[in-house]
Amino acid sequence: MMQKIVIQMQPKCGKCRTKAMMAAAKALGVNSVEFQGENKNQMVVIGDGVDAAALASSVRKKAKHASLEMVQEL
């Protein structure tokens, strides 16, 4: 089942954003990762069978301020 997961972030620098993106890309089942929103503060992850809670937790470890906003089936 394909999912679209949106994680709201407040990265302090570009390096934190890159680390968070790499952490999300390493998760099992992730097909694509991109940033959207006015300030590029929403990470949109599309994947098949991704554990959204575990993904948000791993991103939160890299970018301290991250919260799971939406999980939607595609």
Side-chain angles (χ1 to χ4, degrees), residues 1-3 5 28-32 45-51:
M1 127 181 110
M2 292 294 286
Q3 295 175 327
I5 302 166
L28 186 65
V30 172
N31 293 337
S32 69
V45 179
I46 297 178
D48 188 21
V50 179
D51 183 5

Side-chain angles (χ1 to χ4, degrees), residues 43-63:
M43 179 186 292
V44 178
V45 179
I46 297 178
D48 188 21
V50 179
D51 183 5
L55 178 65
S57 177
S58 66
V59 168
R60 192 175 298 120
K61 287 179 183 177
K62 299 297 180 181

Side-chain angles (χ1 to χ4, degrees), residues 3-61:
Q3 295 175 327
K4 177 180 177 181
I5 302 166
V6 178
I7 299 174
Q8 185 75 27
M9 296 177 45
Q10 297 298 327
K12 294 183 178 182
C13 62
K15 189 174 182 180
C16 296
R17 180 178 285 140
T18 302
K19 285 183 179 182
M21 189 174 216
M22 289 177 62
K26 288 181 183 178
L28 186 65
V30 172
N31 293 337
S32 69
V33 181
E34 63 182 45
F35 285 99
Q36 294 179 350
E38 293 177 20
N39 299 328
K40 302 285 185 190
N41 59 356
Q42 290 182 337
M43 179 186 292
V44 178
V45 179
I46 297 178
D48 188 21
V50 179
D51 183 5
L55 178 65
S57 177
S58 66
V59 168
R60 192 175 298 120
K61 287 179 183 177

